[in-house]
Amino acid sequence: MDTEPRRGQPEPTKRIFIHIGAPKTGTTYLKSVLLKNVDALAAAGVLYPYTDIGQSFRAAHDFCRMRWFGQRADRFRGEWDLLVQRSREWDGGTVILSSELLAAAAPDRIGKGLAPLAPYEVHIVFTARDFARQLASDWQEHIKHKHTVTLEKFVDDLVELGLDAPEPFGRLFWGMHDAAYVLERWARFVPVERIHVLTVPLPGGEGDALWKRFCATTGLDPAGYDTRTRRSNPSMGVAETELVRRLNFGVTKMQTNSYNALVRLLLADKVLRGGSPRLSLPPHRLPWLRQRSRALIDDLAAAGYQVEGDLADLLPADPSSEYVSPTGLTEADLGPAAIKAAAALLSHAGKLRDRNQSLRGRPDSSDDPDAGLAHQPRRLAKAGRRAARRLLGGTEAATEA
C-alpha cells in the first residue's frame, strides 16, 4: 500500500477533507472503501493516509484527548501528528481524513488539532441520519459495551434531559449525533461554506448511494473505485440486543479485553446478527422526535452549510411494524437467541481448547475439561462456559413450552 508522499513537483492548492462522524451513519463502510482503494486514490492525487483501519480510532483518540473505552486520554499521543505530517508532505491535491469519534472533540482540541493544517483548504464532512434510527442504534452500541440501561429509560433520559442525561449517554448522543450542535463547534474554525452535511439515504435505495454522496462532496469519481466490502457494524434484532443487556449483569467483573472478544465481537457482531424484529423506539416519543428533527433541519439550513442529499431525510419515518419492547420480552422470547449464543460460546471454548492441546502436543483428556489449557485460554474457556450456563439457565421456559 503506497501512501508515501510524491516529491519533486510544485505543491498545488491542497484540500483536506475531515470526515468527523456521526457514528452509525455508514462511517465504517466509507472508511473500509477508502482503505481498500488507497492505491487507486493515490494514483488520482488523493491521499488517504491510514495504514490500517484501527489508526482512524487511534488518531481521533489523540485529537480529542478523551477517555474512550477505558483508554487513558494520552494513550495514543502522536498519532494525529503523524497523519498531519503525511498530509502536509503529500503533493497531490486532496487529502481525506476520517473518524466518527472526531464529532466529540471540544473546541480547544479542534483548534489545536486544525492549527497545523491552517495553510490548506480544510473542509469538514458530517454524515447525518434521522434521530429515531440513531437512538436505536446508539442504545444497541452501548449495550455492546457492557451497559445495562433499558431502551425505554435510555430514550426517556435523552428526550427529557438532553445533554444532562446520565453519563455517558447525554454527552455521547447529543454531543456526537446532533449535527447542528456538533458543527457549531467546528464552524468556529472552518468557514461555513467548507462545512458539508451528507444525509444518509433512506432504506431501500441504491446500495452505494452514500458513497456517491461522499464522492460528490470530496470530488472523487464514484465509478473509479471498488466499493465491494463487507458491511460492518451489523445490527442485532430486539431479542438479541435484550439478551446481551441481561447477560451484561452477569459479566460485570469480566476484563474488557475478554468481554470485547467474547460478547461484542463474537456474540453481538457475528452470532446474534438479525433474527428477531429490528429495534424501534417507543411510539409515544416519535412526535417529540419529529418536532426536534424539524428544528434541526431549520438550524442546518439557516447555518449555510453545503448539503449533499435531502435534509428531509432527517425526519423520522413512520414505524414499519408494531413496537416490540425489549424490556417486556420474557425468558421464553429470548430462548432461541440464548441457545444460539450458548452454542457459539461452547464452540469457541472448544476451539481454544483443541488449539492449545495441539500447540502443547498433549493428548486430549476427556475426564478433565481444563486439562492442557494454557493460562489465558483456560480463563477464556471458563468464562465461555460460565456465560453459556447463564444463557442456558434463561431458556428453561422455552424448552418446556
Side-chain angles (χ1 to χ4, degrees):
M1 183 167 57
D2 180 15
T3 59
E4 289 300 315
R6 298 176 297 167
R7 305 178 185 276
Q9 299 178 1
E11 182 178 279
T13 301
K14 189 183 301 182
R15 298 186 305 164
I16 299 180
F17 291 90
I18 307 177
H19 184 201
I20 64 170
K24 311 303 292 184
T25 60
T27 51
T28 302
Y29 162 71
L30 291 173
K31 287 187 294 185
S32 297
V33 172
L34 291 167
L35 190 61
K36 183 177 184 179
N37 291 278
V38 67
D39 292 332
L41 289 165
V46 180
L47 174 68
Y48 188 66
Y50 302 91
T51 56
D52 64 86
I53 201 163
Q55 192 175 27
S56 172
F57 169 81
R58 298 192 300 270
H61 189 287
D62 184 32
F63 185 103
C64 295
R65 295 286 172 86
M66 299 172 66
R67 288 185 61 84
W68 288 101
F69 309 116
Q71 302 285 356
R72 66 179 189 272
D74 62 348
R75 172 68 175 82
F76 301 110
R77 186 182 294 273
E79 288 281 353
W80 177 254
D81 292 339
L82 179 60
L83 296 185
V84 168
Q85 179 183 352
R86 292 175 183 170
S87 300
R88 292 176 63 91
E89 292 177 347
W90 180 249
D91 64 4
T94 303
V95 176
I96 298 176
L97 305 173
S98 180
S99 175
E100 59 271 34
L101 299 185
L102 293 171
D108 64 317
R109 295 305 310 165
I110 296 173
K112 291 178 181 177
L114 295 183
L117 301 174
Y120 309 108
E121 185 180 302
V122 174
H123 293 248
I124 301 302
V125 181
F126 188 91
T127 41
R129 191 170 68 152
D130 71 84
F131 285 142
R133 286 188 289 170
Q134 288 297 89
L135 277 166
S137 295
D138 197 51
W139 176 70
Q140 183 176 104
E141 198 64 24
H142 283 297
I143 296 305
K144 289 162 56 178
H145 286 84
K146 226 174 183 180
H147 288 284
T148 58
V149 62
T150 66
L151 174 62
E152 289 82 2
K153 178 169 175 52
F154 177 78
V155 174
D156 287 346
D157 285 346
L158 287 172
V159 167
E160 296 170 8
L161 302 176
L163 282 166
D164 294 326
E167 283 288 334
F169 308 126
R171 173 176 56 87
L172 290 185
F173 185 79
W174 296 116
M176 297 180 71
H177 296 265
D178 183 340
Y181 180 78
V182 172
L183 293 176
E184 185 277 330
R185 300 197 301 270
W186 290 81
R188 302 178 198 180
F189 306 93
V190 178
V192 294
E193 61 268 20
R194 296 185 195 167
I195 296 179
H196 308 264
V197 177
L198 277 66
T199 60
V200 174
L202 297 175
E206 294 182 81
D208 61 350
L210 180 61
W211 170 248
K212 290 179 178 178
R213 292 182 183 184
F214 185 80
C215 289
T217 296
T218 56
L220 301 179
D221 174 9
Y225 304 96
D226 183 359
T227 60
R228 295 171 299 177
T229 182
R230 185 179 68 84
R231 293 288 175 164
S232 300
N233 292 339
S235 295
M236 296 182 287
V238 61
E240 290 78 15
T241 310
E242 179 64 11
L243 173 68
V244 175
R245 188 188 75 84
R246 297 184 193 182
L247 179 62
N248 286 343
F249 285 102
V251 295
T252 55
K253 296 182 180 180
M254 182 182 287
Q255 293 294 318
T256 299
N257 287 343
S258 295
Y259 181 90
N260 287 340
L262 293 171
V263 180
R264 184 168 67 85
L265 298 177
L266 175 61
L267 291 186
D269 286 356
K270 293 181 180 179
V271 176
L272 297 176
R273 298 169 60 175
S276 60
R278 293 177 62 87
L279 285 168
S280 59
L281 299 186
H284 71 282
R285 289 302 186 186
L286 289 177
W288 184 92
L289 285 171
R290 291 194 180 100
Q291 181 181 6
R292 179 69 174 77
S293 298
R294 292 187 185 96
L296 170 66
I297 291 172
D298 291 342
D299 289 343
L300 294 176
Y305 304 135
Q306 306 302 304
V307 177
E308 190 64 40
D310 190 341
L311 289 178
D313 292 345
L314 301 181
L315 284 173
D318 292 330
S320 57
S321 59
E322 185 177 351
Y323 174 66
V324 177
S325 168
T327 317
L329 295 177
T330 66
E331 290 187 347
D333 295 326
L334 303 183
I339 293 173
K340 192 175 181 180
L345 288 171
L346 288 171
S347 176
H348 183 70
K351 288 178 181 178
L352 287 176
R353 184 174 185 276
D354 293 344
R355 184 184 309 156
N356 191 70
Q357 292 285 354
S358 176
L359 291 173
R360 292 171 63 92
R362 293 185 178 182
D364 188 16
S365 175
S366 58
D367 295 331
D368 183 0
D370 286 328
L373 287 180
H375 189 57
Q376 178 62 17
R378 181 183 294 120
R379 287 204 302 267
L380 290 175
K382 286 183 176 179
R385 287 195 297 275
R386 285 197 299 270
R389 286 195 293 268
R390 281 192 291 271
L391 291 169
L392 289 171
T395 66
E396 293 178 358
T399 56
E400 292 173 359

